[in-house]
Amino acid sequence: MIPTAAYAATSAQSLLEPHTIERRDPGPHDVLIDILYCGICHSDIHQVRDEWGGSIYPMVPGHEIVGTAVKIGRHVTKWKIGDTVGVGYFVDSCKTCDACKDGEEQYCENGMVTTFNGRERDKQTPTYGGYSACITVNEDYVLRIPAGMPLERVAPLMCAGITTYSPLRHFGVKAGDIVAVVGLGGLGHMGVKLAKAMGAKVTVLSHSPGKCADALALGADDFIDTSEKNAFKINAARFDFILDTVSAKHDYNNYLNLLRRNGRMVLVGIPDPGRLSAASLVMQRRSLSGSLIGGIHEAQEMLDFCSEHEVVSDVEVIPIQKINEAYERVLKSDVHYRFVIDMASLKQPCSK
Ligand code: NAP
Ligand code: ZN
């Protein structure tokens, strides 16, 4: 076992504090990764605070991991020591069900093994995430970071990037489509950049009027302040596709009414459920879908796409000691546009 420095929450009410966990020594198919950066996703906060139920404590969150391969299992063929690699929201799956065979491990019928707040396939061993010095991961769940990318700005691609890329691709968003992204946070700002890189016309729908200039600087063509009285009326039936990244409860019906005939809204944000009116869908034959992160193959495709189109996240790099402050700022929608932890601040490197 490898004693590993980390930050953990011990209950839904507690702050994140220094903690030591044990990582397994790399097995024949494992890679030990020295973590350089880890992004802070709102899903970390939902789970630390047990907003989805069933949280496992102590919890070491973090699933936007970038690091260096420092030890390699003897049967590993895909990786070598020194490779720059990434790990996202899951670290294992059954590999035998239809979803896994289709490369959509996130929908594994036997349950993916989440990077943190989950259990390994033995259904017992808890998983611990990226707010830590290192992590041991099966080689098939490791991603290759294309050369030359700024690593602190790549970390958020491991979740915010793939979670927005996957529905844009799956539902065939293409050049010229009229797209709205709801919520300009970690996922939202990646949604804007990726939809633009795919050639769509992109409007940001935000309840923070102060984000207008940033939205345009990130590449959006237009900005709608949803806190304005007539915002939903004026923009009715305007969009082909809406990507909803909002983390807090809001009225889906208002947003559905912004879709044109045959338009689709995809939920990626996971707040408390809201009320849904049938008429919001029936009128204009609209569709409502959801989407969960993305598979390993698609995540690699997304990284290569981002490298080719020079898409990276806008980040605020923090030392891990500022984690609790960062959480408070995320909850106030005051994040520009992803916090990323510089793991050197742990000052207890991976001990191999
Ligand atoms: P984030 O950085 O906090 O961004 C969420 C944004 O939602 C905020 O910046 C804000 O944007 C908007 N918002 C917040 N409160 C709102 C309210 N009361 N009304 C309207 N808009 C509000 O969070 P994130 O990391 O992007 O994650 C967003 C959501 O996606 C979370 O629920 C997270 O758990 C979920 N998620 C899902 C997946 C998946 O696979 N489906 C993956 C990762 C994360 P404005 O200030 O612009 O309004
Ligand atoms: Zn996430």
Side-chain angles (χ1 to χ4, degrees):
M1 286 292 182
I2 305 166
T4 301
Y7 263 58
T10 49
S11 76
Q13 288 74 38
S14 65
L15 295 174
L16 287 144
E17 289 176 343
H19 183 76
T20 302
I21 54 171
E22 291 197 319
R23 295 295 190 191
R24 66 176 184 270
D25 291 310
H29 290 283
D30 285 337
V31 179
L32 177 64
I33 300 166
D34 182 350
I35 300 176
L36 297 171
Y37 296 103
C38 184
I40 299 176
C41 175
H42 208 116
S43 300
D44 296 343
I45 305 178
H46 286 311
Q47 291 174 79
V48 162
R49 300 188 177 200
D50 199 20
E51 290 169 2
W52 295 343
S55 283
I56 304 166
Y57 300 97
M59 184 190 300
V60 177
H63 56 275
E64 290 186 338
I65 297 168
V66 166
T68 309
V70 289
K71 206 168 175 183
I72 302 284
R74 65 181 189 283
H75 291 149
V76 170
T77 52
K78 296 180 185 163
W79 310 105
K80 59 180 189 323
I81 289 175
D83 282 348
T84 306
V85 293
V87 178
Y89 196 75
F90 57 92
V91 288
D92 208 351
S93 63
C94 81
K95 294 185 176 169
T96 56
C97 73
D98 286 349
C100 284
K101 282 193 208 146
D102 286 347
E104 298 197 315
E105 301 90 351
Q106 74 276 32
Y107 303 118
C108 175
E109 290 161 24
N110 296 300
M112 64 175 163
V113 175
T114 54
T115 303
F116 78 103
N117 191 29
R119 306 244 179 230
E120 298 283 0
R121 298 205 54 230
D122 64 8
K123 309 261 185 243
Q124 287 183 4
T125 314
T127 56
Y128 297 117
Y131 301 180
S132 59
C134 60
I135 188 167
T136 308
V137 182
N138 179 285
E139 62 174 329
D140 293 335
Y141 298 82
V142 173
L143 295 161
R144 183 176 305 282
I145 310 298
M149 296 185 88
L151 299 185
E152 71 283 10
R153 302 185 67 183
V154 166
L157 303 184
M158 300 303 137
C159 176
I162 183 60
T163 300
T164 48
Y165 181 89
S166 181
L168 291 168
R169 275 285 187 248
H170 180 80
F171 294 109
V173 168
K174 58 187 185 314
D177 283 359
I178 312 293
V179 169
V181 174
V182 190
L184 196 64
L187 266 56
H189 93 291
M190 288 311 309
V192 170
K193 292 185 182 213
L194 289 165
K196 277 303 289 181
M198 293 173 191
K201 287 243 170 291
V202 182
T203 298
V204 168
L205 273 67
S206 168
H207 83 316
S208 307
K211 290 183 182 173
C212 178
D214 282 358
L216 301 180
L218 287 163
D221 300 286
D222 200 0
F223 180 89
I224 296 171
D225 169 7
T226 53
S227 64
E228 245 183 32
K229 202 166 135 245
N230 287 324
F232 290 100
K233 211 167 161 187
I234 299 168
N235 293 290
R238 178 170 161 183
F239 300 104
D240 298 309
F241 186 91
I242 300 178
L243 185 65
D244 183 339
T245 76
V246 173
S247 53
K249 191 168 179 177
H250 56 296
D251 189 346
Y252 293 134
N253 304 288
N254 285 339
Y255 294 89
L256 283 166
N257 287 324
L258 303 183
L259 287 172
R260 303 165 69 175
R261 183 163 50 94
N262 297 327
R264 180 184 298 275
M265 176 155 111
V266 179
L267 307 179
V268 287
I270 316 178
D272 282 345
R275 182 190 62 93
L276 189 64
S277 145
S280 305
L281 296 172
V282 170
M283 298 298 168
Q284 304 300 324
R285 195 162 52 200
R286 298 171 175 126
S287 302
L288 178 64
S289 305
S291 184
L292 180 66
I293 34 176
I296 292 292
H297 179 79
E298 193 176 38
Q300 191 61 59
E301 178 190 300
M302 174 275 307
L303 285 169
D304 296 341
F305 177 91
C306 287
S307 170
E308 189 187 330
H309 294 265
E310 297 184 356
V311 172
V312 282
S313 178
D314 281 34
V315 301
E316 193 172 329
V317 177
I318 57 160
I320 199 159
Q321 293 77 9
K322 293 246 164 138
I323 184 81
N324 295 300
E325 264 170 60
Y327 272 29
E328 289 308 319
R329 283 187 49 198
V330 172
L331 289 168
K332 287 189 206 131
S333 303
D334 178 22
V335 47
H336 310 276
Y337 277 87
R338 199 58 141 184
F339 285 109
V340 172
I341 305 164
D342 179 354
M343 217 48 73
S345 60
L346 253 184
K347 297 202 164 62
Q348 285 169 282
C350 179
S351 57
K352 288 188 231 181

